[in-house]
C-alpha cells in the first residue's frame, strides 16, 4: 500500500529525493568545471607528461608504481618557482643590506664589489663571475644570530617590491608551479626546494608561498658557530661559506640533506643541470623538467645569454636526456595568481 502524503515516511522519501537531485547537480557542476589539477596550464605535452608520470607512479600494482616514501620531488627556486629577473631576489636583499651598513664603512665607496653594490651596478658585481656576489652575501648576512637574520629577511620582504611589477616578491610566485606542488603532495609526494639561494633566506617564507615547510628547504649556507654570550648558549652566523648548493653541489646537497635520489626534478637554468642529471639517471620512472622563460610580455624572455638564470647546457641536452622543456609562453595560461583568467 502506498504511503499517504502526510505519512512520516513520505516526508523522508521527499527529503531523500531532494538530496539526490542536489547531489546530481553538484556532481554535474563539478564535471562542467572539470577536475583539472593544473588549471593554469594549457593542454599540451608538458602538462600531459606531468599528469601521466604521477598517474603511473601512483597506480598500485602497475609496473611503475613507486612507494609513497620514495616519491621525492625537488625544485629549484629562483626562476623555477618565482621571478629571478632582473636580478636574484637575495642579491637585491644583499645590496640593501650593504647600503644599510655603508655609513659604518666609508672605505666601501672605493672598494669593489661594495662600490658597485652601492651604485646598484649588478653587471659590475658579476663581471668576474659569482664570487663578488657571494662576498656581498657573506658580509651582509653574517655577524648576527639566525633569529636576528630571519627577522631582517621577514621585515625586508614585507616592504621590498619588484622594480617592474611593483609588488612584493612573495606575490611573484608562479601559479602553475604552485599547482604542480599541490598536485604532487595530493599524490603523496614529498616536495623539496633545492636552490643555490641561501637556506636561511628562504626558510622564513616558503611554507606560506609554496606549502613547503622549512625542513624541506635545501640551499647554500654560511658557517654558524656555537658560543656562550653572557652565559647564554648562542649561535652566530660567520662570514664564510659552508656549502654552495648550486651546479654539481645540488646532487651533493640532495644526498646530504634529503638522503634519497628524487624521481622528479624541476629547474630552469644550467645551475640545475646536475640535479636533473642525477634525478633522471636513477632506476625506474624518472621525470626532469625545465621552465623555459619565453614570455617577454607577461614575464621575461631569456636563456643562453642571460646574466641571471642562464640556460645553455640544458637547452642543448634536453632532447637527448629526455627532459621536458616547459615554455612559459605556450604552456602556461597564467603566470601569477593575480592575473585575470
Amino acid at each position: 500500500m502506498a504511503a499517504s502524503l502526510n505519512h512520516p515516511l513520505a516526508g523522508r522519501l521527499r527529503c531523500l529525493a531532494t538530496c539526490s537531485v542536489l547531489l546530481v547537480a553538484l556532481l554535474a557542476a563539478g564535471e562542467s568545471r572539470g577536475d583539472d589539477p593544473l588549471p593554469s596550464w594549457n593542454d599540451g605535452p608538458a602538462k600531459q607528461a606531468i599528469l601521466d608520470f604521477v598517474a603511473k607512479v601512483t597506480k598500485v600494482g602497475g609496473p611503475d608504481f613507486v612507494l609513497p616514501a620514495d616519491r621525492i620531488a625537488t625544485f629549484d627556486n629562483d626562476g623555477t618557482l618565482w621571478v629571478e629577473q632582473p636580478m636574484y631576489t637575495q642579491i637585491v636583499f644583499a645590496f640593501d643590506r650593504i647600503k644599510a651598513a655603508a655609513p659604518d664603512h666609508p672605505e666601501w665607496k672605493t672598494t669593489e664589489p661594495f662600490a658597485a653594490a652601492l651604485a646598484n651596478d649588478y653587471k659590475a658585481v658579476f663581471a668576474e663571475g659569482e664570487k663578488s656576489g657571494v662576498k656581498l652575501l657573506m658580509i651582509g648576512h653574517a655577524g648576527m644570530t639566525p633569529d636576528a637574520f630571519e627577522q631582517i629577511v621577514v621585515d625586508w620582504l614585507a616592504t621590498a617590491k619588484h622594480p617592474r611589477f611593483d609588488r612584493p616578491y612573495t606575490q611573484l610566485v608562479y601559479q602553475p608551479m604552485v599547482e604542480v606542488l599541490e598536485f604532487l603532495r595530493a599524490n603523496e609526494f614529498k616536495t623539496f626546494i633545492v636552490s643555490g639561494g641561501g637556506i636561511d633566506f628562504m626558510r622564513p617564507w616558503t611554507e606560506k608561498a609554496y606549502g613547503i615547510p622549512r625542513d624541506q628547504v635545501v640551499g647554500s649556507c654560511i658557517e654558524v658557530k656555537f658560543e656562550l654570550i653572557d652565559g647564554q648558549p648562542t649561535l652566530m652566523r660567520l662570514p664564510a661559506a659552508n656549502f654552495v648548493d648550486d651546479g654539481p653541489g645540488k646532487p651533493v646537497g640532495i644526498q646530504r640533506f634529503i638522503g634519497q635520489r628524487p624521481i622528479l626534478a624541476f629547474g630552469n637554468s644550467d645551475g640545475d643541470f646536475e640535479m636533473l642529471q642525477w634525478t633522471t639517471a636513477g632506476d625506474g620512472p624518472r621525470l626532469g623538467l625545465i621552465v623555459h622563460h619565453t614570455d617577454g610580455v607577461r614575464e621575461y624572455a631569456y636563456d643562453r645569454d642571460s646574466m641571471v638564470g642562464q640556460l645553455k647546457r640544458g637547452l642543448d641536452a634536453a632532447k637527448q636526456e629526455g627532459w621536458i622543456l616547459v615554455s612559459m609562453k605556450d604552456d602556461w595560461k597564467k603566470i601569477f595568481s593575480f592575473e585575470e583568467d
Side-chain angles (χ1 to χ4, degrees):
M1 178 182 295
S4 70
L5 293 177
N6 294 322
H7 193 280
L9 179 59
R12 287 195 290 271
L13 289 173
R14 285 196 300 271
C15 182
L16 288 171
T18 301
C19 291
S20 297
V21 170
L22 288 173
L23 180 60
V24 170
L26 288 171
L27 290 173
E31 288 177 1
S32 66
R33 289 193 304 269
D35 295 322
D36 186 355
L38 305 177
S40 297
W41 289 70
N42 289 316
D43 292 334
K47 177 178 179 177
Q48 198 59 48
I50 297 170
L51 296 174
D52 290 347
F53 181 77
V54 172
K56 71 181 181 181
V57 300
T58 58
K59 184 178 181 181
V60 179
D64 295 312
F65 176 71
V66 175
L67 291 169
D70 297 323
R71 295 176 198 167
I72 303 297
T74 56
F75 293 78
D76 171 56
N77 184 49
D78 297 307
T80 300
L81 297 179
W82 75 344
V83 167
E84 67 180 353
Q85 291 281 356
M87 179 49 59
Y88 302 115
T89 306
Q90 191 171 358
I91 295 295
V92 179
F93 170 74
F95 273 38
D96 284 352
R97 293 288 301 145
I98 293 299
K99 292 170 189 174
D104 297 327
H105 296 275
E107 73 278 7
W108 285 356
K109 294 180 180 180
T110 56
T111 304
E112 296 296 355
F114 305 102
L118 294 173
N120 279 335
D121 191 341
Y122 295 114
K123 289 185 178 180
V125 168
F126 288 93
E128 297 181 2
E130 296 186 356
K131 289 184 179 180
S132 294
V134 171
K135 185 175 182 179
L136 293 176
L137 294 176
M138 295 302 102
I139 297 297
H141 292 22
M144 66 191 81
T145 66
D147 288 344
F149 177 74
E150 180 165 320
Q151 189 59 54
I152 290 171
V153 172
V154 170
D155 292 343
W156 183 83
L157 286 171
T159 59
K161 291 187 176 181
H162 189 276
R164 172 181 169 184
F165 296 104
D166 194 32
R167 287 177 176 269
Y169 287 92
T170 48
Q171 289 185 14
L172 300 176
V173 302
Y174 301 140
Q175 180 61 26
M177 296 303 295
V178 171
E179 293 169 4
V180 169
L181 290 167
E182 292 174 346
F183 176 52
L184 292 175
R185 289 193 291 266
N187 284 277
E188 298 185 272
F189 277 76
K190 200 168 185 179
T191 54
F192 290 82
I193 288 175
V194 178
S195 171
I199 191 169
D200 293 322
F201 179 79
M202 295 182 287
R203 280 176 169 170
W205 53 270
T206 57
E207 185 158 19
K208 184 176 180 180
Y210 310 131
I212 298 178
R214 58 196 305 135
D215 63 319
Q216 289 171 216
V217 176
V218 179
S220 300
C221 48
I222 66 175
E223 293 284 356
V224 177
K225 180 183 179 183
F226 174 86
E227 56 186 44
L228 291 175
I229 299 179
D230 296 328
Q232 295 297 316
T234 306
L235 294 176
M236 291 297 294
R237 296 167 57 85
L238 306 178
N242 174 274
F243 176 67
V244 178
D245 189 52
D246 195 39
K250 289 200 172 188
V252 175
I254 289 169
Q255 180 61 33
R256 180 179 295 179
F257 296 105
I258 303 175
Q260 289 178 265
R261 192 192 300 236
I263 64 171
L264 181 152
F266 224 129
N268 81 291
S269 73
D270 286 347
D272 306 311
F273 192 90
E274 287 83 0
M275 177 175 73
L276 289 162
Q277 277 187 317
W278 172 245
T279 299
T280 57
D283 295 331
R286 303 278 159 173
L287 184 62
L289 307 102
I290 298 173
V291 174
H292 190 194
H293 291 262
T294 55
D295 198 323
V297 175
R298 295 183 297 170
E299 203 241 15
Y300 296 93
Y302 60 98
D303 45 46
R304 294 182 183 276
D305 299 321
S306 178
M307 178 178 67
V308 173
Q310 184 180 81
L311 179 64
K312 184 184 297 184
R313 297 170 67 202
L315 275 181
D316 293 339
K319 185 175 182 180
Q320 178 181 343
E321 298 286 348
W323 300 336
I324 306 297
L325 281 174
V326 176
S327 169
M328 186 175 282
K329 180 179 179 180
D330 299 330
D331 289 315
W332 288 358
K333 290 179 183 177
K334 62 192 305 183
I335 295 176
F336 306 113
S337 63
F338 53 80
E339 290 178 21
E340 294 183 3
D341 292 325

